[in-house]
Amino acid sequence: MGEQPIFTTRAHVFQIDPNTKKNWVPASKQAVTVSYFYDVTRNSYRIISVDGAKVIINSTITPNMTFTKTSQKFGQWADSRANTVFGLGFSSEQQLTKFAEKFQEVKEAARLARDKSQEKIETSSNHSQESGCETPSSTQASSVNGTDDEKASCAGPADTHLKSENDKLKIALTQSAANVKKWEIELQTLRESNARLTAALQESAASVEQWKRQFSICRDENDRLRNKIDELEEQCSEINREKEKNTQLKRRIEELESELREKETAAERDNQNLEDKVRSLKTDIEESKYRQRHLKVELKSFLEVLDGKIDDLHDFRRGLSKLGSDN
């Protein structure tokens, strides 16, 4: 009832593997509340964390403890009384820094409380010596108890203070016994939890092996698919090259078709010109044939006339010859 929380945060809790002393074992499945508690009666500090109904951290801070940051979001400390090492994983570096600063502050407060307690003991011892009530030595064993007068002479403020301190110690011892019983229950709970965690860890290890096998199968399948993708990409590259060739051929065909159309157009013009020339030549030939026929007719007429003239000349020659012979 005398404990009050003085600082609270949230973190994932881990404990060192008791077998390997190297690996971390999760103590909580998710982030849980982690608090510093101050016991006014005992003037002590504890770090406590509870996950549901299970106590996963119950660590009393002593001046000899050290909190170590092992990364930007993870820190740890060793508890020799619990025979373990606790680890906390925070969601941010700022939370880790605040927790570490609070740990150092509580550790210093625990050191001051210890020093103050030692000073009280030394002061009580000095008061006893000053009042003349020295502790009897082994040679004075026969007079250890002393007389009533001696006891009365030794009775004083120091004895009253020691009695008060003794009563407080008895109360603290009673509370400690109750706490020990409570801690034994918590320890049993932690052991059962540790057994469950061990079983879960073994199951997780088996699952990890299974996942490794599946991962290996998936990796092989991934490699096969990657090789298939490379082949398809190569085929796509060939297809793209063929498409480029086809595009070039198509452009060349279009160019040739255009040239062919131009040549056909030119050929049509040339054919038309040739046809016009042929028609003109046919016309010239017909005219020439007509002229030839006409010339033949005229030549025939001329030859007939010429034949008549020749006959006339022969007749005239014969007449001349006859006339010359007559003369």
Side-chain angles (χ1 to χ4, degrees):
M1 296 297 292
E3 282 187 308
Q4 297 294 331
I6 58 175
F7 180 84
T8 300
T9 186
R10 292 184 67 82
H12 290 270
V13 179
F14 299 85
Q15 287 188 16
I16 201 70
D17 191 335
N19 297 322
T20 63
K21 299 295 184 181
K22 293 181 180 180
N23 300 325
W24 288 108
V25 178
S28 63
K29 296 181 180 180
Q30 57 187 0
V32 294
T33 301
V34 181
S35 302
Y36 285 93
F37 277 83
Y38 173 58
D39 190 338
V40 179
T41 304
R42 301 175 59 192
N43 196 20
S44 62
Y45 297 86
R46 286 196 300 167
I47 298 176
I48 297 176
S49 179
V50 179
D51 186 7
K54 179 178 64 176
V55 178
I56 55 179
I57 298 179
N58 185 4
S59 177
T60 301
I61 305 300
T62 65
N64 298 327
M65 288 184 176
T66 301
F67 184 83
T68 304
K69 295 181 182 179
T70 58
S71 68
Q72 291 184 347
K73 298 181 182 180
F74 194 88
Q76 65 184 52
W77 78 95
D79 189 339
S80 58
R81 294 181 180 179
N83 192 26
T84 188
V85 179
F86 294 102
L88 296 179
F90 296 89
S91 61
S92 66
E93 184 178 0
Q94 291 78 8
Q95 289 182 346
L96 172 60
T97 300
K98 290 181 179 179
F99 187 90
E101 292 175 351
K102 195 64 180 180
F103 193 98
Q104 186 64 30
E105 178 184 336
V106 169
K107 173 183 173 182
E108 182 65 19
R111 186 188 65 79
L112 293 175
R114 183 192 63 182
D115 295 344
K116 186 175 181 181
S117 177
Q118 289 178 353
E119 288 177 359
K120 286 183 178 181
I121 294 173
E122 292 176 357
T123 302
S124 299
S125 177
N126 291 334
H127 287 169
S128 297
Q129 293 177 1
E130 289 174 358
S131 62
C133 297
E134 296 181 357
T135 303
S137 62
S138 59
T139 58
Q140 297 173 332
S142 60
S143 61
V144 169
N145 294 326
T147 63
D148 293 338
D149 294 337
E150 290 174 347
K151 291 180 181 180
S153 63
C154 291
D159 286 341
T160 303
H161 178 73
L162 288 174
K163 185 177 181 181
S164 175
E165 289 293 330
N166 191 25
D167 292 338
K168 290 181 180 180
L169 289 174
K170 287 180 179 179
I171 295 173
L173 181 60
T174 302
Q175 291 181 347
S176 297
N179 289 334
V180 165
K181 188 174 182 180
K182 181 179 69 174
W183 292 339
E184 287 177 352
I185 297 173
E186 293 177 357
L187 180 60
Q188 183 63 27
T189 303
L190 289 174
R191 286 176 179 172
E192 294 175 356
S193 176
N194 192 27
R196 290 195 298 270
L197 289 173
T198 301
L201 181 62
Q202 293 174 352
E203 183 180 354
S204 298
S207 299
V208 166
E209 292 299 326
Q210 182 180 1
W211 280 110
K212 284 182 179 179
R213 290 192 296 271
Q214 292 181 358
F215 176 75
S216 179
I217 295 172
C218 292
R219 182 175 57 189
D220 295 339
E221 181 68 14
N222 189 27
D223 293 336
R224 187 183 67 80
L225 291 175
R226 186 179 289 109
N227 293 331
K228 185 65 176 178
I229 290 173
D230 293 337
E231 293 177 0
L232 292 175
E233 288 180 349
E234 181 63 25
Q235 292 178 2
C236 290
S237 299
E238 293 179 359
I239 292 173
N240 290 331
R241 288 194 291 270
E242 290 296 328
K243 285 183 178 179
E244 183 66 24
K245 290 181 181 178
N246 291 336
T247 303
Q248 294 178 355
L249 289 174
K250 187 176 180 180
R251 286 199 298 267
R252 182 58 182 166
I253 290 171
E254 291 176 353
E255 292 175 356
L256 292 174
E257 288 178 350
S258 178
E259 293 178 359
L260 181 61
R261 285 193 295 271
E262 292 178 356
K263 288 182 179 180
E264 287 178 350
T265 303
E268 288 178 358
R269 288 196 299 269
D270 293 340
N271 288 335
Q272 186 67 35
N273 293 332
L274 288 174
E275 289 177 357
D276 294 340
K277 288 181 180 180
V278 167
R279 284 194 296 270
S280 177
L281 288 174
K282 286 181 178 179
T283 303
D284 293 341
I285 291 171
E286 293 294 330
E287 291 178 355
S288 176
K289 286 180 178 180
Y290 176 77
R291 285 195 297 270
Q292 287 178 358
R293 287 194 298 271
H294 183 70
L295 288 174
K296 285 180 180 180
V297 172
E298 289 182 353
L299 180 61
K300 186 176 181 181
S301 299
F302 178 73
L303 290 174
E304 290 177 354
V305 172
L306 183 60
D307 288 339
K309 295 294 183 182
I310 292 174
D311 291 337
D312 289 342
L313 287 175
H314 283 298
D315 291 339
F316 181 72
R317 186 178 179 182
R318 282 193 299 270
L320 288 177
S321 297
K322 185 179 180 181
L323 181 61
S325 61
D326 290 338
N327 292 325

mmCIF file of all heavy atoms in Angstrom, residues 95-137:
data_model
loop_
_atom_site.group_PDB
_atom_site.id
_atom_site.type_symbol
_atom_site.label_atom_id
_atom_site.label_comp_id
_atom_site.label_asym_id
_atom_site.label_seq_id
_atom_site.Cartn_x
_atom_site.Cartn_y
_atom_site.Cartn_z
ATOM 1 N N GLN A 95 11.724 7.847 -25.863
ATOM 2 C CA GLN A 95 11.212 7.058 -24.745
ATOM 3 C C GLN A 95 12.342 6.303 -24.049
ATOM 4 O O GLN A 95 12.386 6.224 -22.816
ATOM 5 C CB GLN A 95 10.152 6.072 -25.245
ATOM 6 C CG GLN A 95 8.846 6.742 -25.665
ATOM 7 C CD GLN A 95 7.815 5.729 -26.106
ATOM 8 O OE1 GLN A 95 8.122 4.575 -26.352
ATOM 9 N NE2 GLN A 95 6.565 6.176 -26.219
ATOM 10 N N LEU A 96 13.259 5.742 -24.851
ATOM 11 C CA LEU A 96 14.402 5.037 -24.269
ATOM 12 C C LEU A 96 15.259 5.981 -23.435
ATOM 13 O O LEU A 96 15.685 5.645 -22.318
ATOM 14 C CB LEU A 96 15.244 4.408 -25.382
ATOM 15 C CG LEU A 96 16.584 3.784 -24.954
ATOM 16 C CD1 LEU A 96 16.367 2.669 -23.956
ATOM 17 C CD2 LEU A 96 17.341 3.276 -26.180
ATOM 18 N N THR A 97 15.486 7.205 -23.944
ATOM 19 C CA THR A 97 16.309 8.179 -23.216
ATOM 20 C C THR A 97 15.658 8.568 -21.897
ATOM 21 O O THR A 97 16.320 8.632 -20.855
ATOM 22 C CB THR A 97 16.522 9.425 -24.090
ATOM 23 O OG1 THR A 97 17.178 9.029 -25.305
ATOM 24 C CG2 THR A 97 17.382 10.449 -23.369
ATOM 25 N N LYS A 98 14.341 8.800 -21.901
ATOM 26 C CA LYS A 98 13.639 9.164 -20.662
ATOM 27 C C LYS A 98 13.719 8.035 -19.640
ATOM 28 O O LYS A 98 13.934 8.270 -18.453
ATOM 29 C CB LYS A 98 12.180 9.504 -20.968
ATOM 30 C CG LYS A 98 11.994 10.812 -21.735
ATOM 31 C CD LYS A 98 10.522 11.081 -21.986
ATOM 32 C CE LYS A 98 10.327 12.392 -22.737
ATOM 33 N NZ LYS A 98 8.885 12.657 -23.010
ATOM 34 N N PHE A 99 13.542 6.782 -20.113
ATOM 35 C CA PHE A 99 13.594 5.650 -19.188
ATOM 36 C C PHE A 99 14.993 5.519 -18.587
ATOM 37 O O PHE A 99 15.144 5.257 -17.386
ATOM 38 C CB PHE A 99 13.206 4.364 -19.919
ATOM 39 C CG PHE A 99 13.060 3.176 -19.007
ATOM 40 C CD1 PHE A 99 11.831 2.887 -18.424
ATOM 41 C CD2 PHE A 99 14.135 2.355 -18.718
ATOM 42 C CE1 PHE A 99 11.682 1.799 -17.576
ATOM 43 C CE2 PHE A 99 14.000 1.269 -17.867
ATOM 44 C CZ PHE A 99 12.767 0.986 -17.300
ATOM 45 N N ALA A 100 16.020 5.690 -19.440
ATOM 46 C CA ALA A 100 17.401 5.578 -18.947
ATOM 47 C C ALA A 100 17.714 6.687 -17.932
ATOM 48 O O ALA A 100 18.367 6.441 -16.905
ATOM 49 C CB ALA A 100 18.371 5.639 -20.129
ATOM 50 N N GLU A 101 17.251 7.898 -18.223
ATOM 51 C CA GLU A 101 17.472 8.994 -17.281
ATOM 52 C C GLU A 101 16.780 8.721 -15.953
ATOM 53 O O GLU A 101 17.334 8.984 -14.872
ATOM 54 C CB GLU A 101 16.972 10.302 -17.888
ATOM 55 C CG GLU A 101 17.801 10.775 -19.073
ATOM 56 C CD GLU A 101 17.202 11.999 -19.727
ATOM 57 O OE1 GLU A 101 16.057 12.358 -19.356
ATOM 58 O OE2 GLU A 101 17.855 12.592 -20.615
ATOM 59 N N LYS A 102 15.539 8.183 -16.017
ATOM 60 C CA LYS A 102 14.825 7.860 -14.781
ATOM 61 C C LYS A 102 15.530 6.743 -14.025
ATOM 62 O O LYS A 102 15.582 6.756 -12.781
ATOM 63 C CB LYS A 102 13.389 7.445 -15.119
ATOM 64 C CG LYS A 102 12.470 7.454 -13.895
ATOM 65 C CD LYS A 102 12.328 8.867 -13.350
ATOM 66 C CE LYS A 102 11.420 8.921 -12.137
ATOM 67 N NZ LYS A 102 11.277 10.282 -11.597
ATOM 68 N N PHE A 103 16.092 5.769 -14.742
ATOM 69 C CA PHE A 103 16.823 4.685 -14.088
ATOM 70 C C PHE A 103 18.014 5.243 -13.315
ATOM 71 O O PHE A 103 18.258 4.865 -12.157
ATOM 72 C CB PHE A 103 17.297 3.679 -15.139
ATOM 73 C CG PHE A 103 17.795 2.380 -14.567
ATOM 74 C CD1 PHE A 103 16.980 1.270 -14.514
ATOM 75 C CD2 PHE A 103 19.091 2.271 -14.079
ATOM 76 C CE1 PHE A 103 17.430 0.063 -13.978
ATOM 77 C CE2 PHE A 103 19.551 1.083 -13.543
ATOM 78 C CZ PHE A 103 18.716 -0.022 -13.498
ATOM 79 N N GLN A 104 18.744 6.166 -13.951
ATOM 80 C CA GLN A 104 19.902 6.761 -13.273
ATOM 81 C C GLN A 104 19.467 7.567 -12.050
ATOM 82 O O GLN A 104 20.108 7.530 -10.988
ATOM 83 C CB GLN A 104 20.661 7.661 -14.265
ATOM 84 C CG GLN A 104 21.958 8.238 -13.736
ATOM 85 C CD GLN A 104 22.978 7.164 -13.424
ATOM 86 O OE1 GLN A 104 22.989 6.108 -14.050
ATOM 87 N NE2 GLN A 104 23.850 7.424 -12.443
ATOM 88 N N GLU A 105 18.344 8.280 -12.182
ATOM 89 C CA GLU A 105 17.817 9.069 -11.064
ATOM 90 C C GLU A 105 17.409 8.167 -9.900
ATOM 91 O O GLU A 105 17.751 8.433 -8.731
ATOM 92 C CB GLU A 105 16.617 9.885 -11.559
ATOM 93 C CG GLU A 105 15.938 10.714 -10.481
ATOM 94 C CD GLU A 105 14.703 11.410 -11.004
ATOM 95 O OE1 GLU A 105 14.622 11.625 -12.237
ATOM 96 O OE2 GLU A 105 13.808 11.740 -10.196
ATOM 97 N N VAL A 106 16.708 7.071 -10.191
ATOM 98 C CA VAL A 106 16.272 6.139 -9.143
ATOM 99 C C VAL A 106 17.479 5.435 -8.526
ATOM 100 O O VAL A 106 17.533 5.214 -7.303
ATOM 101 C CB VAL A 106 15.281 5.121 -9.737
ATOM 102 C CG1 VAL A 106 15.007 3.987 -8.764
ATOM 103 C CG2 VAL A 106 13.974 5.819 -10.100
ATOM 104 N N LYS A 107 18.434 5.084 -9.368
ATOM 105 C CA LYS A 107 19.652 4.436 -8.856
ATOM 106 C C LYS A 107 20.379 5.354 -7.876
ATOM 107 O O LYS A 107 20.834 4.923 -6.807
ATOM 108 C CB LYS A 107 20.561 4.083 -10.039
ATOM 109 C CG LYS A 107 21.930 3.559 -9.654
ATOM 110 C CD LYS A 107 22.757 3.321 -10.906
ATOM 111 C CE LYS A 107 24.188 2.969 -10.549
ATOM 112 N NZ LYS A 107 25.024 2.769 -11.760
ATOM 113 N N GLU A 108 20.466 6.634 -8.192
ATOM 114 C CA GLU A 108 21.119 7.594 -7.303
ATOM 115 C C GLU A 108 20.313 7.747 -6.003
ATOM 116 O O GLU A 108 20.893 7.839 -4.908
ATOM 117 C CB GLU A 108 21.251 8.947 -8.018
ATOM 118 C CG GLU A 108 21.961 10.021 -7.206
ATOM 119 C CD GLU A 108 23.411 9.693 -6.931
ATOM 120 O OE1 GLU A 108 23.979 8.845 -7.649
ATOM 121 O OE2 GLU A 108 23.989 10.297 -5.994
ATOM 122 N N ALA A 109 18.968 7.751 -6.126
ATOM 123 C CA ALA A 109 18.132 7.843 -4.933
ATOM 124 C C ALA A 109 18.318 6.612 -4.045
ATOM 125 O O ALA A 109 18.358 6.711 -2.810
ATOM 126 C CB ALA A 109 16.670 8.002 -5.335
ATOM 127 N N ALA A 110 18.459 5.435 -4.661
ATOM 128 C CA ALA A 110 18.697 4.216 -3.884
ATOM 129 C C ALA A 110 20.053 4.272 -3.172
ATOM 130 O O ALA A 110 20.194 3.830 -2.027
ATOM 131 C CB ALA A 110 18.622 2.996 -4.802
ATOM 132 N N ARG A 111 21.034 4.857 -3.839
ATOM 133 C CA ARG A 111 22.362 4.997 -3.211
ATOM 134 C C ARG A 111 22.294 5.946 -2.024
ATOM 135 O O ARG A 111 22.866 5.669 -0.951
ATOM 136 C CB ARG A 111 23.375 5.505 -4.236
ATOM 137 C CG ARG A 111 24.812 5.546 -3.715
ATOM 138 C CD ARG A 111 25.725 6.229 -4.701
ATOM 139 N NE ARG A 111 25.371 7.645 -4.859
ATOM 140 C CZ ARG A 111 25.709 8.596 -3.989
ATOM 141 N NH1 ARG A 111 26.385 8.299 -2.881
ATOM 142 N NH2 ARG A 111 25.357 9.846 -4.206
ATOM 143 N N LEU A 112 21.584 7.057 -2.186
ATOM 144 C CA LEU A 112 21.448 8.009 -1.088
ATOM 145 C C LEU A 112 20.708 7.377 0.090
ATOM 146 O O LEU A 112 21.053 7.600 1.257
ATOM 147 C CB LEU A 112 20.706 9.258 -1.572
ATOM 148 C CG LEU A 112 21.450 10.118 -2.602
ATOM 149 C CD1 LEU A 112 20.562 11.261 -3.090
ATOM 150 C CD2 LEU A 112 22.740 10.682 -2.002
ATOM 151 N N ALA A 113 19.663 6.576 -0.208
ATOM 152 C CA ALA A 113 18.917 5.911 0.860
ATOM 153 C C ALA A 113 19.813 4.926 1.606
ATOM 154 O O ALA A 113 19.754 4.820 2.839
ATOM 155 C CB ALA A 113 17.705 5.193 0.268
ATOM 156 N N ARG A 114 20.662 4.205 0.859
ATOM 157 C CA ARG A 114 21.575 3.268 1.506
ATOM 158 C C ARG A 114 22.582 4.008 2.388
ATOM 159 O O ARG A 114 22.841 3.620 3.537
ATOM 160 C CB ARG A 114 22.307 2.445 0.448
ATOM 161 C CG ARG A 114 23.239 1.376 1.020
ATOM 162 C CD ARG A 114 24.131 0.807 -0.047
ATOM 163 N NE ARG A 114 25.009 1.850 -0.597
ATOM 164 C CZ ARG A 114 25.884 1.635 -1.586
ATOM 165 N NH1 ARG A 114 25.979 0.433 -2.152
ATOM 166 N NH2 ARG A 114 26.648 2.625 -2.014
ATOM 167 N N ASP A 115 23.144 5.104 1.852
ATOM 168 C CA ASP A 115 24.108 5.879 2.639
ATOM 169 C C ASP A 115 23.457 6.460 3.887
ATOM 170 O O ASP A 115 24.054 6.474 4.981
ATOM 171 C CB ASP A 115 24.696 7.001 1.778
ATOM 172 C CG ASP A 115 25.526 6.451 0.621
ATOM 173 O OD1 ASP A 115 25.898 5.252 0.667
ATOM 174 O OD2 ASP A 115 25.780 7.213 -0.332
ATOM 175 N N LYS A 116 22.204 6.914 3.756
ATOM 176 C CA LYS A 116 21.503 7.491 4.900
ATOM 177 C C LYS A 116 21.250 6.434 5.962
ATOM 178 O O LYS A 116 21.391 6.683 7.167
ATOM 179 C CB LYS A 116 20.181 8.108 4.437
ATOM 180 C CG LYS A 116 19.444 8.872 5.522
ATOM 181 C CD LYS A 116 18.217 9.550 4.941
ATOM 182 C CE LYS A 116 17.484 10.332 6.026
ATOM 183 N NZ LYS A 116 16.257 10.981 5.493
ATOM 184 N N SER A 117 20.920 5.227 5.537
ATOM 185 C CA SER A 117 20.695 4.133 6.480
ATOM 186 C C SER A 117 21.982 3.780 7.219
ATOM 187 O O SER A 117 21.987 3.546 8.432
ATOM 188 C CB SER A 117 20.146 2.916 5.742
ATOM 189 O OG SER A 117 19.978 1.828 6.618
ATOM 190 N N GLN A 118 23.104 3.764 6.485
ATOM 191 C CA GLN A 118 24.384 3.476 7.129
ATOM 192 C C GLN A 118 24.759 4.577 8.126
ATOM 193 O O GLN A 118 25.296 4.312 9.204
ATOM 194 C CB GLN A 118 25.468 3.329 6.066
ATOM 195 C CG GLN A 118 25.331 2.059 5.232
ATOM 196 C CD GLN A 118 26.392 1.965 4.155
ATOM 197 O OE1 GLN A 118 27.156 2.915 3.937
ATOM 198 N NE2 GLN A 118 26.445 0.817 3.490
ATOM 199 N N GLU A 119 24.448 5.822 7.771
ATOM 200 C CA GLU A 119 24.746 6.930 8.691
ATOM 201 C C GLU A 119 23.933 6.787 9.971
ATOM 202 O O GLU A 119 24.422 7.051 11.075
ATOM 203 C CB GLU A 119 24.437 8.260 8.006
ATOM 204 C CG GLU A 119 25.428 8.622 6.911
ATOM 205 C CD GLU A 119 25.040 9.910 6.220
ATOM 206 O OE1 GLU A 119 23.989 10.494 6.592
ATOM 207 O OE2 GLU A 119 25.767 10.336 5.296
ATOM 208 N N LYS A 120 22.668 6.342 9.855
ATOM 209 C CA LYS A 120 21.838 6.149 11.052
ATOM 210 C C LYS A 120 22.438 5.079 11.957
ATOM 211 O O LYS A 120 22.486 5.209 13.182
ATOM 212 C CB LYS A 120 20.422 5.778 10.653
ATOM 213 C CG LYS A 120 19.600 6.930 10.094
ATOM 214 C CD LYS A 120 18.193 6.478 9.800
ATOM 215 C CE LYS A 120 17.347 7.632 9.299
ATOM 216 N NZ LYS A 120 15.950 7.212 9.015
ATOM 217 N N ILE A 121 22.906 4.001 11.345
ATOM 218 C CA ILE A 121 23.497 2.915 12.141
ATOM 219 C C ILE A 121 24.755 3.389 12.855
ATOM 220 O O ILE A 121 24.971 3.131 14.044
ATOM 221 C CB ILE A 121 23.794 1.713 11.236
ATOM 222 C CG1 ILE A 121 22.483 1.110 10.708
ATOM 223 C CG2 ILE A 121 24.593 0.655 11.984
ATOM 224 C CD1 ILE A 121 22.671 0.024 9.679
ATOM 225 N N GLU A 122 25.594 4.146 12.104
ATOM 226 C CA GLU A 122 26.825 4.664 12.721
ATOM 227 C C GLU A 122 26.506 5.651 13.832
ATOM 228 O O GLU A 122 27.147 5.659 14.888
ATOM 229 C CB GLU A 122 27.690 5.321 11.643
ATOM 230 C CG GLU A 122 28.264 4.326 10.633
ATOM 231 C CD GLU A 122 29.019 5.022 9.530
ATOM 232 O OE1 GLU A 122 29.035 6.283 9.526
ATOM 233 O OE2 GLU A 122 29.592 4.336 8.661
ATOM 234 N N THR A 123 25.487 6.491 13.620
ATOM 235 C CA THR A 123 25.100 7.458 14.656
ATOM 236 C C THR A 123 24.599 6.751 15.907
ATOM 237 O O THR A 123 24.937 7.109 17.029
ATOM 238 C CB THR A 123 24.007 8.393 14.112
ATOM 239 O OG1 THR A 123 24.498 9.053 12.957
ATOM 240 C CG2 THR A 123 23.608 9.414 15.152
ATOM 241 N N SER A 124 23.796 5.720 15.732
ATOM 242 C CA SER A 124 23.299 4.950 16.875
ATOM 243 C C SER A 124 24.440 4.295 17.631
ATOM 244 O O SER A 124 24.466 4.277 18.873
ATOM 245 C CB SER A 124 22.308 3.889 16.388
ATOM 246 O OG SER A 124 21.204 4.489 15.756
ATOM 247 N N SER A 125 25.419 3.781 16.889
ATOM 248 C CA SER A 125 26.568 3.142 17.542
ATOM 249 C C SER A 125 27.379 4.152 18.332
ATOM 250 O O SER A 125 27.807 3.897 19.461
ATOM 251 C CB SER A 125 27.445 2.460 16.477
ATOM 252 O OG SER A 125 28.595 1.897 17.066
ATOM 253 N N ASN A 126 27.544 5.352 17.775
ATOM 254 C CA ASN A 126 28.311 6.401 18.469
ATOM 255 C C ASN A 126 27.587 6.846 19.741
ATOM 256 O O ASN A 126 28.200 7.069 20.783
ATOM 257 C CB ASN A 126 28.521 7.597 17.546
ATOM 258 C CG ASN A 126 29.473 7.252 16.390
ATOM 259 O OD1 ASN A 126 30.313 6.365 16.528
ATOM 260 N ND2 ASN A 126 29.326 7.952 15.270
ATOM 261 N N HIS A 127 26.255 6.958 19.666
ATOM 262 C CA HIS A 127 25.494 7.342 20.860
ATOM 263 C C HIS A 127 25.639 6.308 21.954
ATOM 264 O O HIS A 127 25.752 6.635 23.150
ATOM 265 C CB HIS A 127 24.017 7.524 20.500
ATOM 266 C CG HIS A 127 23.765 8.780 19.717
ATOM 267 N ND1 HIS A 127 22.551 9.025 19.094
ATOM 268 C CD2 HIS A 127 24.551 9.859 19.455
ATOM 269 C CE1 HIS A 127 22.596 10.181 18.491
ATOM 270 N NE2 HIS A 127 23.818 10.712 18.694
ATOM 271 N N SER A 128 25.660 5.058 21.617
ATOM 272 C CA SER A 128 25.802 3.996 22.618
ATOM 273 C C SER A 128 27.159 4.072 23.307
ATOM 274 O O SER A 128 27.276 3.925 24.523
ATOM 275 C CB SER A 128 25.630 2.628 21.950
ATOM 276 O OG SER A 128 24.333 2.511 21.416
ATOM 277 N N GLN A 129 28.203 4.319 22.502
ATOM 278 C CA GLN A 129 29.546 4.423 23.082
ATOM 279 C C GLN A 129 29.675 5.639 23.989
ATOM 280 O O GLN A 129 30.297 5.606 25.044
ATOM 281 C CB GLN A 129 30.590 4.469 21.965
ATOM 282 C CG GLN A 129 30.685 3.153 21.188
ATOM 283 C CD GLN A 129 31.676 3.252 20.048
ATOM 284 O OE1 GLN A 129 32.299 4.311 19.851
ATOM 285 N NE2 GLN A 129 31.831 2.166 19.325
ATOM 286 N N GLU A 130 29.059 6.767 23.605
ATOM 287 C CA GLU A 130 29.165 7.987 24.398
ATOM 288 C C GLU A 130 28.438 7.827 25.744
ATOM 289 O O GLU A 130 28.818 8.417 26.752
ATOM 290 C CB GLU A 130 28.574 9.165 23.627
ATOM 291 C CG GLU A 130 29.456 9.559 22.439
ATOM 292 C CD GLU A 130 28.785 10.630 21.615
ATOM 293 O OE1 GLU A 130 27.636 11.007 21.959
ATOM 294 O OE2 GLU A 130 29.375 11.096 20.629
ATOM 295 N N SER A 131 27.392 7.027 25.807
ATOM 296 C CA SER A 131 26.646 6.854 27.065
ATOM 297 C C SER A 131 27.315 5.860 28.008
ATOM 298 O O SER A 131 26.853 5.633 29.108
ATOM 299 C CB SER A 131 25.219 6.398 26.768
ATOM 300 O OG SER A 131 25.260 5.141 26.114
ATOM 301 N N GLY A 132 28.451 5.262 27.601
ATOM 302 C CA GLY A 132 29.204 4.353 28.454
ATOM 303 C C GLY A 132 28.710 2.947 28.398
ATOM 304 O O GLY A 132 29.154 2.103 29.164
ATOM 305 N N CYS A 133 27.775 2.624 27.517
ATOM 306 C CA CYS A 133 27.229 1.283 27.406
ATOM 307 C C CYS A 133 27.973 0.548 26.322
ATOM 308 O O CYS A 133 27.489 0.386 25.204
ATOM 309 C CB CYS A 133 25.740 1.327 27.097
ATOM 310 S SG CYS A 133 24.793 2.102 28.394
ATOM 311 N N GLU A 134 29.223 0.159 26.570
ATOM 312 C CA GLU A 134 30.018 -0.548 25.605
ATOM 313 C C GLU A 134 29.582 -1.996 25.564
ATOM 314 O O GLU A 134 29.128 -2.568 26.541
ATOM 315 C CB GLU A 134 31.499 -0.463 25.985
ATOM 316 C CG GLU A 134 32.026 0.974 25.954
ATOM 317 C CD GLU A 134 33.501 1.008 26.323
ATOM 318 O OE1 GLU A 134 34.030 -0.071 26.642
ATOM 319 O OE2 GLU A 134 34.085 2.087 26.270
ATOM 320 N N THR A 135 29.802 -2.601 24.487
ATOM 321 C CA THR A 135 29.445 -4.016 24.335
ATOM 322 C C THR A 135 30.446 -4.839 25.089
ATOM 323 O O THR A 135 31.661 -4.672 24.938
ATOM 324 C CB THR A 135 29.472 -4.403 22.837
ATOM 325 O OG1 THR A 135 28.600 -3.559 22.137
ATOM 326 C CG2 THR A 135 29.074 -5.857 22.666
ATOM 327 N N PRO A 136 30.014 -5.734 25.964
ATOM 328 C CA PRO A 136 30.944 -6.531 26.747
ATOM 329 C C PRO A 136 31.744 -7.444 25.866
ATOM 330 O O PRO A 136 31.267 -7.936 24.858
ATOM 331 C CB PRO A 136 30.050 -7.325 27.690
ATOM 332 C CG PRO A 136 28.644 -7.075 27.297
ATOM 333 C CD PRO A 136 28.615 -6.019 26.263
ATOM 334 N N SER A 137 33.029 -7.653 26.302
ATOM 335 C CA SER A 137 33.927 -8.513 25.554
ATOM 336 C C SER A 137 33.750 -9.938 26.032
ATOM 337 O O SER A 137 33.007 -10.234 26.955
ATOM 338 C CB SER A 137 35.374 -8.064 25.760
ATOM 339 O OG SER A 137 35.727 -8.187 27.118
#
